[in-house]
Amino acid sequence: MKITVVGGGYVGLTTGVCFAHLGHQVLIVEKIPQKVELLKSGKSPIYEPGLEELMQKNMKEGRLFFTTDLREGLEFSDVIFICVGTPQRPDGSADLSQVEEVARETAKLMKSYKLLIEKSTVPVNTHKLIKKTVQRYLKDPSIPYDVASNPEFLREGSAIEDFLNPDRIVVGIESERAKSIFEELYKDFKCPIIYTDPATSELIKHASNSFLAMKISFINMVADLCEKVGADVKLVADGMGYDKRIGRHFLNAGIGYGGSCFPKDVKAFIKMAEDYGLNFGILREVERINQERPVKFVEKVKNILWSVKEKKIGVWGLAFKPNTDDIREAPSIKIVDLLIKEGAYLSLYDPKAMENFKMLFPEGKQVKYAKDPYIAAEGASALLILTEWDEFMKVDLKRVKELMELPILVDGRNIFEPKEVKSLGFEYYAIGR
Ligand code: UGA
């Protein structure tokens, strides 16, 4: 099939590359010219394992193209995936201006049938606004079109794997014509495909993200309780997770969820419910608990060291999760900020996210960037783990201990086994265990 993807960000690029990998012809429309130049030269603007290689392969094999021109995108195909950003407004609601722009400009240029598909996370009933906009701007009101919802569930860091092997595919449609296009598009996927109306489909995505965020805040509160009573949150999560109704995934306690999705989506879900006269109080608590996590973590560090003022502290991990260079809403930002305010001297290390972090925290008296995890630990009074990169699980902890001034390890992601690190002579603090 021929597919047009509007938006060359995380979701758009992964969607385009993966559809090309499945044998389709894909044109990605991205309005930032520099980004298109970069993409055309075979470079991915984001770090995502395997993405750049797969992109280059499909470009070489003539299935993946890029342009800045929406008109070209509409001439290329009848199937248009809308993958533009839906950033957060100050009141927490989603800013849908980019979605509106795509709908409007598409309508103006449309000469024949198009299927417009929302892939970005949007508030329920956004499809109605897209339809209204298309209808308003269509040059010829008799041109047929469909608007569908087909949310993406991929995670950063495992985007390709998630796209190609989803747990389910959700499709919200209103016509048989649209349905048959999706049937063709997803015919090789083995997972359940759920066909519903667009509003239900939009809600499935938003509610799923909110629910996963709720699991994380829930286990984080359990972790705090574990610390008070001397229990182990990892084992509590294991014990709970064996119950199929609960499941073990997303029950890892830590310093809170970050990224471009959960914080924004939870806020937008609360706001959306409010707009319909409902108080989704449970999600307000989810958000409050999450916002508290970095603050509590810094309190913990302060309690351990008594004072952090003018002490050197090593930090491993800045990305909001492993296998990405993304630091959007990463708990590390708040933690680093609070520690700087407390007068600490920080030596930061992350395998991929340091360049992005430098834009927020340039190198200076209190902030240094280390070339490797060992340099970050050198002379430190404590070492903090903020992202669970594989690399950190493989370091030579004996060497780390020798390099540090005090062998204090504060593990915000529970990557080590307390007994093992303690037996190496570390003073070890984890989350909820
Ligand atoms: C999330 C969802 O998992 C995807 O299904 C969805 O498609 C995506 O948002 C989106 O809406 O685009 P993502 O934000 O990439 O994906 O990453 P996650 O793996 O969900 O992690 C989010 C945050 O939760 C990270 O900061 C992570 O460290 C944290 N987390 C996750 C925990 O603290 N504990 C856990 O048990 C799991």
Side-chain angles (χ1 to χ4, degrees), residues 11 121 152-157 162 205 209 212 216 219-220 248-262 265 320-322 331 388 413:
V11 171
T121 309
E152 183 46 61
F153 296 97
L154 62 83
R155 289 162 300 174
E156 290 187 24
D162 287 350
K205 165 71 194 196
N209 273 9
L212 290 169
I216 300 170
I219 202 67
N220 280 334
R248 179 62 178 84
H249 296 293
F250 280 67
L251 286 182
N252 295 322
I255 51 177
Y257 58 77
S260 65
C261 302
F262 286 176
D265 291 351
F320 84 98
K321 63 178 291 188
E388 66 277 33
R413 298 290 187 172

Side-chain angles (χ1 to χ4, degrees), residues 73 171 239 299:
V171 179
E299 282 304 314

Side-chain angles (χ1 to χ4, degrees), residues 78-304:
D78 297 341
V79 183
I80 319 289
F81 278 95
I82 306 175
C83 300
V84 292
T86 54
Q88 191 176 297
R89 284 217 202 91
D91 69 351
S93 64
D95 175 352
L96 298 174
S97 55
Q98 295 181 52
V99 179
E100 189 271 345
E101 187 185 330
V102 176
R104 175 168 29 93
E105 293 308 315
T106 301
K108 285 187 197 163
L109 296 165
M110 245 163 82
K111 294 195 181 104
S112 59
Y113 175 82
K114 298 288 163 208
L115 170 60
L116 286 168
I117 308 164
E118 311 161 344
K119 228 180 190 356
S120 319
T121 309
V122 288
V124 65
N125 280 334
T126 299
H127 70 281
K128 286 189 181 159
L129 297 170
I130 296 179
K131 267 167 69 177
K132 206 166 150 185
T133 305
V134 173
Q135 201 56 48
R136 259 187 200 150
Y137 287 94
L138 263 184
K139 291 254 156 58
D140 170 0
S142 70
I143 296 173
Y145 67 92
D146 277 303
V147 176
S149 156
N150 173 215
E152 183 46 61
F153 296 97
L154 62 83
R155 289 162 300 174
E156 290 187 24
S158 52
I160 294 172
E161 172 64 21
D162 287 350
F163 187 96
L164 297 173
N165 302 294
D167 288 344
R168 78 307 205 182
I169 290 168
V170 177
V171 179
I173 27 120
E174 286 176 315
S175 79
E176 280 306 314
R177 185 171 190 174
K179 188 175 181 187
S180 60
I181 293 175
F182 280 105
E183 279 170 344
E184 176 64 22
L185 195 62
Y186 290 123
K187 67 176 189 307
D188 294 331
F189 284 76
K190 301 279 176 279
C191 65
I193 301 184
I194 301 140
Y195 287 100
T196 103
D197 58 279
T200 303
S201 167
E202 289 165 338
L203 258 185
I204 290 172
K205 165 71 194 196
H206 225 164
S208 298
N209 273 9
S210 300
F211 189 84
L212 290 169
M214 184 175 75
K215 277 186 99 173
I216 300 170
S217 279
F218 185 89
I219 202 67
N220 280 334
M221 280 312 292
V222 174
D224 286 355
L225 191 57
C226 285
E227 284 185 23
K228 299 263 185 230
V229 301
D232 183 336
V233 72
K234 250 192 165 166
L235 298 178
V236 173
D238 288 346
M240 288 169 65
Y242 280 114
D243 186 329
K244 288 194 192 69
R245 294 168 303 173
I246 298 173
R248 179 62 178 84
H249 296 293
F250 280 67
L251 286 182
N252 295 322
I255 51 177
Y257 58 77
S260 65
C261 302
F262 286 176
K264 179 180 79 152
D265 291 351
V266 168
K267 266 203 178 67
F269 206 82
I270 295 170
K271 181 71 175 61
M272 186 187 66
E274 206 176 84
D275 290 345
Y276 287 97
L278 298 172
N279 178 5
F280 219 123
I282 194 170
L283 286 182
R284 286 185 202 282
E285 262 311 281
V286 167
E287 194 184 22
R288 188 194 61 77
I289 293 165
N290 195 59
Q291 284 170 349
E292 222 176 41
R293 296 312 285 171
V295 182
K296 279 195 170 173
F297 185 76
V298 171
E299 282 304 314
K300 184 182 229 165
V301 176
K302 276 167 61 188
N303 285 337
I304 295 165

